[in-house]
Amino acid sequence: KLLVFSGTQPSGKLTIGNYIGAIRHWIVMQKYYECMYCIADLHLISTVSSSNVYAFRKMSLDTLALYLACGVDPNVSTIFMQSHVPEHTQLNWLLNCCAYYGELSRMTQFKEKSKFKQDSVNVGLFNYPILMAADILLYQTNFVPVGDDQKQHLEFTCNIARRFNNKFGTVFTIPKILVPDFGSRIMSLLNPLKKMSKSDQDSNNYISLLDDATLISKKVKRAITDSDQPPAIYYDPVEKPGVSNLLAILSGIGGESISNLELIFKNKTYSCLKSNLIQSLSTVLKQIQNRYFNERSNENKLNNILCVGAKKARQKANLTLKKVYQLIGL
Ligand code: TYM
């Protein structure tokens, strides 16, 4: 069976961007592939300050419960914490020695996150894409479903895998990056030129999977549409970023294609589009939330899933790591 690998950082609440860009595809892929879904807590510590360290374990369990609530099935997929599988950091070091300073300095996400603090940026943030490569390559992954913002990191993963294979002997499968045509870049509600992000300072920019109907309504009503006259509803992210973003969200949540939505909303008003979106988001998120609170209340079950997941992941990861050690001559 072909293998799928993906993950999220457990930084508090997941947003509809994470759901539409990644997690909803994970659910579908479970039917056809062997799936490994990781909670990337080691990635998270590259951005965390000491004041929120205490909440780490809680945030990880919150994230796991959200995976389950969205439909990731622990009986079918392997769900685990990155920090429970030490092979990730072991392979990370070996890959470090194959990665170039230049290529990592060119990573957009690193450049953004390190802007204005060149001297004090932590090396973990610089190393971040190499740990992602280790995550993926350990499992001989065939497919990695992610949002658009991770594309550059995954291209790096493929490059470093090829380089390693050439240098030491073929050991890594070169993964295929799956970035869907629509919904892979959900934008901020108040600034549709910026990506929707769960770490945004202003929570009006994103909708969390745990926002209730009142909040959803408030945020969608405030969302930027476009100022062209007369108002028209069609998908064109360059000319109409605001409306296109709302269409992408509605399509990602409700499952209707963008072209169908364009037909449905032809000659309709922006407020009609917004009230449909509010309706659709409230219904879908309510279902997710009901399941979430149910799953979250059973910590024994959650811990058990992570225990079983780590065991399965370690077994697999070990096979690759052993081969790598042998090839290098360690
Ligand atoms: P993270 O936690 O930032 O995001 C998780 C997933 O959600 C996607 N995503 C979005 N998709 C559409 N629109 C958005 N606004 C949006 N924001 C986020 C991301 O592209 C991602 O697919 N480093 C990764 C986690 C990770 C990982 C991996 C992923 C660690 N190891 C190995 C894949 C393979 C991250 O921080 O994702």
Side-chain angles (χ1 to χ4, degrees):
K1 235 179 173 180
L2 294 173
L3 192 136
V4 172
F5 185 98
S6 201
T8 69
Q9 285 190 59
S11 42
K13 301 166 180 170
L14 299 179
T15 69
I16 54 168
N18 301 125
Y19 178 77
I20 295 172
I23 299 176
R24 76 181 162 129
H25 300 295
W26 302 2
I27 317 298
V28 178
M29 296 186 95
Q30 296 181 117
K31 286 193 215 148
Y32 308 101
Y33 306 108
E34 176 175 3
C35 297
M36 319 263 322
Y37 296 128
C38 151
I39 297 172
D41 55 347
L42 297 178
H43 274 117
L44 182 60
I45 53 174
S46 65
T47 52
V48 119
S49 65
S50 57
S51 59
N52 50 13
V53 156
Y54 79 96
F56 237 62
R57 181 87 190 143
K58 179 186 167 299
M59 294 195 295
S60 298
L61 291 182
D62 292 349
T63 305
L64 170 59
L66 274 173
Y67 281 11
L68 303 180
C70 290
V72 181
D73 181 352
N75 297 314
V76 177
S77 299
T78 306
I79 313 174
F80 67 100
M81 303 280 294
Q82 193 181 28
S83 65
H84 292 181
V85 183
E87 285 79 0
H88 289 242
T89 36
Q90 287 176 282
L91 182 60
N92 183 187
W93 177 257
L94 304 176
L95 295 179
N96 275 345
C97 302
C98 272
Y100 301 141
Y101 178 83
E103 61 188 343
L104 288 169
S105 321
R106 286 191 291 274
M107 293 287 151
T108 327
Q109 209 166 75
F110 174 73
K111 285 200 287 195
E112 268 165 25
K113 288 188 177 167
S114 61
K115 229 186 326 197
F116 312 125
K117 45 178 182 183
Q118 278 302 330
D119 285 340
S120 62
V121 61
N122 82 60
V123 177
L125 214 53
F126 188 68
N127 188 285
Y128 189 108
I130 314 183
L131 183 59
M132 274 184 76
D135 297 343
I136 294 164
L137 299 177
L138 265 181
Y139 301 98
Q140 307 294 347
T141 300
N142 301 99
F143 300 116
V144 193
V146 284
D148 174 79
D149 61 327
Q150 297 301 323
K151 212 166 158 185
Q152 193 187 25
H153 291 157
L154 294 197
E155 280 158 4
F156 167 76
T157 298
C158 297
N159 288 340
I160 201 169
R162 281 195 204 98
R163 195 178 302 150
F164 192 99
N165 284 349
N166 287 336
K167 194 166 170 185
F168 295 105
T170 305
V171 56
F172 296 127
T173 304
I174 311 298
K176 280 211 165 52
I177 312 166
L178 300 183
V179 177
D181 289 342
F182 293 108
S184 64
R185 193 170 179 81
I186 298 299
M187 308 308 272
S188 150
L189 296 175
L190 296 179
N191 177 2
L193 300 177
K194 204 176 76 176
K195 189 191 72 164
M196 180 182 286
S197 162
K198 54 186 174 250
S199 52
D200 203 306
Q201 298 293 331
D202 181 356
S203 65
N204 287 312
N205 279 320
Y206 60 80
I207 293 177
S208 150
L209 292 181
L210 297 180
D211 283 351
D212 64 21
T214 319
L215 257 182
I216 293 171
S217 166
K218 194 179 105 196
K219 291 182 182 180
V220 172
K221 280 184 183 151
R222 280 195 191 170
I224 300 288
T225 44
D226 306 300
S227 52
D228 52 345
Q229 287 300 331
I233 297 179
Y234 59 90
Y235 188 81
D236 181 341
V238 177
E239 295 296 324
K240 297 179 70 74
V243 166
S244 300
N245 193 37
L246 299 183
L247 284 171
I249 297 174
L250 186 53
S251 167
I253 287 289
E256 196 78 61
S257 71
I258 300 259
S259 50
N260 267 355
L261 291 177
E262 284 178 330
L263 285 176
I264 294 169
F265 289 101
K266 202 173 172 196
N267 303 324
K268 297 264 170 34
T269 60
Y270 290 158
S271 76
C272 173
L273 173 64
K274 283 188 170 182
S275 56
N276 259 269
L277 182 56
I278 291 168
Q279 180 68 41
S280 186
L281 275 169
S282 306
T283 313
V284 173
L285 297 197
K286 184 78 200 151
Q287 285 165 1
I288 291 179
Q289 288 160 17
N290 286 342
R291 288 196 294 261
Y292 170 79
F293 290 113
N294 187 18
E295 297 288 357
R296 189 64 184 87
S297 65
N298 192 345
E299 286 211 3
N300 279 343
K301 179 182 166 192
L302 297 179
N303 283 319
N304 194 42
I305 289 172
L306 293 179
C307 219
V308 173
K311 217 169 165 181
K312 281 209 273 188
R314 284 205 74 178
Q315 266 173 1
K316 263 192 180 311
N318 233 297
L319 296 176
T320 301
L321 193 66
K322 262 200 189 128
K323 278 192 218 154
V324 172
Y325 269 53
Q326 265 169 9
L327 279 174
I328 299 182
L330 294 170

